[in-house]
Amino acid sequence: MTLSAESEKLLGSLSCCSYRGDQHTHILVEENDPLAKLKKVTLNAPKGNWFSINPDKGRRKEALMSPLLAVGQAHDHHRACDCVVLIWRDGKLVALYIDLKSGNPVGYSGQFKSTRQFVRYALGLLEEFYGFQLALAEERYVVLYGGKRALINKTPTVPKREGIGKTEPNKPYKREVPNPCQLYLKELLA
């Protein structure tokens, strides 16, 4: 299995790639905050035409092109979620934005919005300067939270389509998981 030309072009334009479907069968999503309860989630994924990026690691402290891109309190919008998986499904590009939270999940909306704009910006640059048009067919937002060793409440293996299919940065699909945790990527694409 190899990545498509579209995948390779988009992948080549990003420096924060973490895993790719032609080389890996999993995606490790990590939270680097030492106080976080939920630190690691592994997404099991089949070999395929997908790759993941870690936008949080790709950010810099200094603004290279504009103060709008700087990190700091004056620029609250410059935040990132923990992982974005870009998947070609049925010939269409799907973006899955994932954020890990401990306990009561809050503060994810700005992270999702900022990361979404980054992905759209990267796609726009490819089109504007390289004539390579990739349109997002779907965007999904997932918050995985918790981090306790064992969960008391059982949850369904596959989420209901209406719960995960139509999500927004302000209204993501939320799922409580233990730390560490393993999920199947297809569960989040139901």
Side-chain angles (χ1 to χ4, degrees), residues 35-102:
L35 300 176
K37 292 178 185 171
L38 181 58
K39 293 182 185 262
K40 292 183 181 183
V41 172
T42 302
L43 297 176
N44 295 316
K47 291 255 184 187
N49 196 12
W50 60 265
F51 66 89
S52 67
I53 62 172
N54 183 338
D56 208 22
K57 284 188 178 178
R59 299 183 309 148
R60 292 184 161 183
K61 298 287 183 198
E62 68 278 351
L64 300 178
M65 293 175 59
S66 165
L68 291 174
L69 301 177
V71 175
Q73 293 176 339
H75 305 289
D76 190 44
H77 61 277
H78 187 69
R79 302 185 305 168
C81 59
D82 294 311
C83 181
V84 179
V85 184
L86 297 162
I87 308 124
W88 274 260
R89 192 163 75 166
D90 302 323
K92 297 178 181 175
L93 181 59
V94 176
L96 178 64
Y97 303 92
I98 302 170
D99 203 37
L100 304 185
K101 294 290 183 190
S102 296

Side-chain angles (χ1 to χ4, degrees), residues 17-28:
C17 176
S18 47
Y19 299 92
R20 34 187 298 161
D22 61 340
Q23 297 176 355
H24 302 100
T25 57
H26 73 281
I27 302 162
L28 180 60

Side-chain angles (χ1 to χ4, degrees), residues 71-165:
V71 175
Q73 293 176 339
H75 305 289
D76 190 44
H77 61 277
H78 187 69
R79 302 185 305 168
C81 59
D82 294 311
C83 181
V84 179
V85 184
L86 297 162
I87 308 124
W88 274 260
R89 192 163 75 166
D90 302 323
K92 297 178 181 175
L93 181 59
V94 176
L96 178 64
Y97 303 92
I98 302 170
D99 203 37
L100 304 185
K101 294 290 183 190
S102 296
N104 184 23
V106 295
Y108 47 78
S109 179
Q111 291 171 288
F112 283 143
K113 288 177 181 179
S114 181
T115 306
R116 174 181 65 185
Q117 288 307 105
F118 168 75
V119 169
R120 291 176 179 179
Y121 177 66
L123 292 174
L125 288 176
L126 282 175
E127 182 176 356
E128 182 73 23
F129 294 104
Y130 299 98
F132 205 81
Q133 187 173 3
L134 295 172
L136 282 169
E138 186 178 352
E139 294 174 299
R140 292 188 180 195
Y141 306 89
V142 175
V143 173
L144 301 174
Y145 70 96
K148 297 176 186 173
R149 282 274 178 209
L151 293 175
I152 297 172
N153 298 331
K154 290 187 176 183
T155 58
T157 303
V158 178
K160 293 182 180 177
R161 173 97 172 122
E162 57 271 7
I164 194 163

